[in-house]
Amino acid sequence: MERADVLRRVIGILTEAQDIRRAAEAGEDADGPSGTAGVATQLLNEMLPSISVPADASPQQVATLVAEALGPALHTMVSGFSLAFTSLAIAHDGGRTDVSSIEVLQELALEVEAGTYDEGPWET
């Protein structure tokens, strides 16, 4: 999965979570957490590799195999959420009252589509 795909999914997860929260606060019947869990689960299913562990592997060998297999994917996902958080934090800390958090995420999505984050330091 490409970095831009991960970022799009992260933005989608955060946007959907906000929509669910707004609906709940308004007393509306929202999809609830299962809707967000579905998007998050889909991201995990697409990103996390399957892991084969020999039947006679020691616990240490299992831990090493899992870490080696999951490390790059988890790094990419955490980096995507960190980028989204940082974008939101910069707007908040800068006192931006002219944009909502959804608008900040939409701006980030446009930057992703423009290729701004196609390459960079969080390559694995």
Side-chain angles (χ1 to χ4, degrees):
M1 181 177 280
E2 297 293 321
R3 179 190 301 204
D5 295 326
V6 173
L7 289 171
R8 279 190 283 278
R9 295 290 174 93
V10 165
I11 293 166
I13 290 167
L14 295 174
T15 301
E16 188 171 350
Q18 286 198 10
D19 290 342
I20 291 168
R21 180 176 179 188
R22 278 199 194 103
E25 288 174 350
E28 300 170 6
D29 187 22
D31 289 337
S34 63
T36 301
V39 175
T41 299
Q42 185 177 3
L43 174 66
L44 291 170
N45 287 339
E46 290 179 5
M47 286 199 64
L48 298 179
S50 60
I51 303 169
S52 297
V53 178
D56 62 345
S58 70
Q60 182 60 41
Q61 290 170 321
V62 171
T64 300
L65 288 169
V66 169
E68 289 173 354
L70 297 182
L74 292 175
H75 174 77
T76 300
M77 282 188 286
V78 168
S79 295
F81 277 101
S82 297
L83 175 63
F85 172 82
T86 300
S87 297
L88 292 164
I90 288 170
H92 176 271
D93 294 348
R96 297 231 13 224
T97 58
D98 59 320
V99 294
S100 68
S101 55
I102 292 290
E103 291 169 326
V104 172
L105 291 172
Q106 289 170 341
E107 288 175 18
L108 179 59
L110 292 173
E111 291 173 7
V112 169
E113 291 304 315
T116 302
Y117 302 101
D118 286 350
E119 296 178 14
W122 53 287
E123 297 278 334
T124 56

